[in-house]
Structures are given as C-alpha cells and as structure tokens.
Amino acid sequence: MINISNLSYAFGSGPSRTSVFSGLSMQVRRGEFVSVVGGSGCGKSTLFKIIVGLLEPGSGSLTLNGTASATAAERLGTVAYMPQQDLLLPWRTVLGNCLLPWELKRSRPWAAAVDEIRTMLHRFGLAGTEEAYPQELSGGMRQRVAVLRTVAAGNELLLLDEPFGALDAITKRSLQRWLLELWTELDKTVLFITHDLEEALLLSDRIYLMTGSGGQGGSSMQEFTANLPRPRHQSLNYEPQFAALRQELELMLYENRLS
C-alpha cells in the first residue's frame, strides 16, 4: 500500500533551512496495522501530510497502492486522513459531518450515502446521534464520529494521527478496544501515529520508531515487529511477553535519543 524510499523534508531555505527528516524509508503492506512512534517534533505528522498530499517532500520517492506519485497534488484524495483534532464542523449535525466525504466526491445518490452513514453509525455505537451537534457529544463519541467520517471517504488506506491522544485514560482504553474490533471487521490498512508505546504494541503488526527532533541531521526511522498473536485483547497488556516487548521498544527509543 505504501512504499517510501529515502524521503526527506526541510523547513525554510538557505542558511535558515532546518531538516525535519532525511533518508526515511518504510513499507506498509495491504491489510496491516502499522504505527509510527516518536517524540514531539520528530516529524511524524509532517510525514503523514506528505503521504496524503498536503506537503511536497524535498527528495525521495513515494508509491501508493503500486502507483508512483510525482507530485503532492496526485496524492490528494487517495488516502483517508484523520488529523490530531477531530475537526468536526460545530454547525453541522453528526450526519452532516459524516456526509462531507460524499459531498466532495458525489460518487452515488444522496439517499444511498445517507443510508450507509446511518448503518455505520449503528456499527460504530453511535445510533441515535444523527441529529446531535458535536458540542453535545462526549470526547470519545466525537472521536468515533471523526473516525467514521474518515472511513466514509471510501479509501482502503487510513492515516490516523494520534486519534486518542487528548482523551482520558479510561476513554482511551475503551476506544483502543473498539478500534481493534473495527479494524478486523473493516479490512482496512491503517497507518497510525501515537506517543503511547502500549497502544502501539496492542494495535500494531509493526512499529516504526522515528527518532530525533529535526536539526542538521533530522530524524531517522527504525522498524520494530510486534510479535504478538491476533486477535488481541487489552488483557494482553498484563502478559509477560507484552511487558518484555514494551521494555525492548522503550530501550530502543532511549538509546536512539542518546546516540
């Protein structure tokens, strides 16, 4: 689904040029759940914006679904993207927010799109919220609506940028469990940003560690495989194998920060 080779990006130009990352390479295979983990400022969100076509890289190659992309404009609309904030429009109902992808594409009749959104709302545990406004929803429900809107775009590849980062611990755990079940049912490919190592291990097939914080050398990427059986449940967090993998992942991040 994604093949990135020697990608680089920098802010500014000339003497004030600041490298965000350089020489980044990664692959995401169809049907995988892959997380990108790293500290603030290492370029995770910038990488996502390049993949979806909001930014142009300085150099390197990027292939989506087997098709090489020469410009950012060619990638726009080919990937479903959910940024860190839910960005629900406050003057629109839940149904109105979820219909935004249809309004942009209009690939089928309006009535069919509404029927599908209503079915998805039930599947997402949001039945009965169609006419509610975002300010009437809890934080967890808003995030579910935002994920639903992302899925409603109809793309096989989903990029989720810290969708649960602003939630309290109890709500976050509930939505992690929900996302695990949803991903299994939807048969989508997911690229996921998180700061939470346990969240990355619980959800992911593979994890890319993005280390560094910009500057002259920029950030680098290192792959880590989460060798855990599926289907997964949150009780896995308390298993010795999970704890050992978390320790290994944390040590890798720590050592790369020191080097």
Side-chain angles (χ1 to χ4, degrees), residues 4 28 50 65 191 223 231:
I4 293 172
V28 178
I50 290 174
N65 203 18
L191 188 56
E223 185 181 348

Side-chain angles (χ1 to χ4, degrees), residues 45 48-49 54 81-87 143 146 149-150 159-164:
S45 294
F48 270 33
K49 289 175 182 176
L54 296 175
Y81 171 52
M82 178 180 165
Q84 292 178 21
Q85 295 80 25
D86 60 62
L87 299 182
Q143 292 304 98
R149 184 175 63 182
T150 306
L159 268 60
L160 307 179
D161 188 348
E162 288 197 85
F164 310 144

Side-chain angles (χ1 to χ4, degrees), residues 3-9 21-26 57-61:
N3 187 16
I4 293 172
S5 179
N6 294 317
L7 204 69
S8 68
Y9 185 81
F21 50 73
S22 60
L24 287 190
S25 297
M26 66 182 297
S59 62
S61 63

Side-chain angles (χ1 to χ4, degrees), residues 16-157:
S16 61
R17 184 176 180 273
T18 301
S19 176
V20 179
F21 50 73
S22 60
L24 287 190
S25 297
M26 66 182 297
Q27 290 185 335
V28 178
R29 293 181 282 272
R30 190 180 306 277
E32 277 192 307
F33 196 117
V34 176
S35 288
V36 179
V37 174
S40 298
C42 69
K44 302 185 299 298
S45 294
T46 299
L47 174 63
F48 270 33
K49 289 175 182 176
I50 290 174
I51 293 173
V52 300
L54 296 175
L55 292 175
E56 195 77 72
S59 62
S61 63
L62 196 159
T63 299
L64 293 179
N65 203 18
T67 303
S69 175
T71 65
E74 292 177 356
R75 297 190 294 278
L76 281 173
T78 63
V79 179
Y81 171 52
M82 178 180 165
Q84 292 178 21
Q85 295 80 25
D86 60 62
L87 299 182
L88 298 179
L89 301 179
W91 60 88
R92 282 192 173 222
T93 63
V94 167
L95 181 62
N97 270 285
C98 293
L99 282 170
L100 278 173
W102 174 84
E103 291 179 20
L104 294 172
K105 295 184 177 181
R106 296 184 183 270
S107 56
R108 56 190 155 165
W110 179 83
V114 170
D115 286 344
E116 183 182 22
I117 294 299
R118 291 186 186 277
T119 299
M120 291 177 70
L121 284 167
H122 181 78
R123 191 176 185 181
F124 279 50
L126 294 165
T129 65
E130 293 92 329
E131 301 306 317
Y133 288 89
Q135 60 268 28
E136 299 175 296
L137 305 177
S138 67
M141 293 175 74
R142 288 175 63 107
Q143 292 304 98
R144 287 190 187 215
V145 173
V147 174
L148 191 160
R149 184 175 63 182
T150 306
V151 172
N155 302 93
E156 186 179 347
L157 176 61

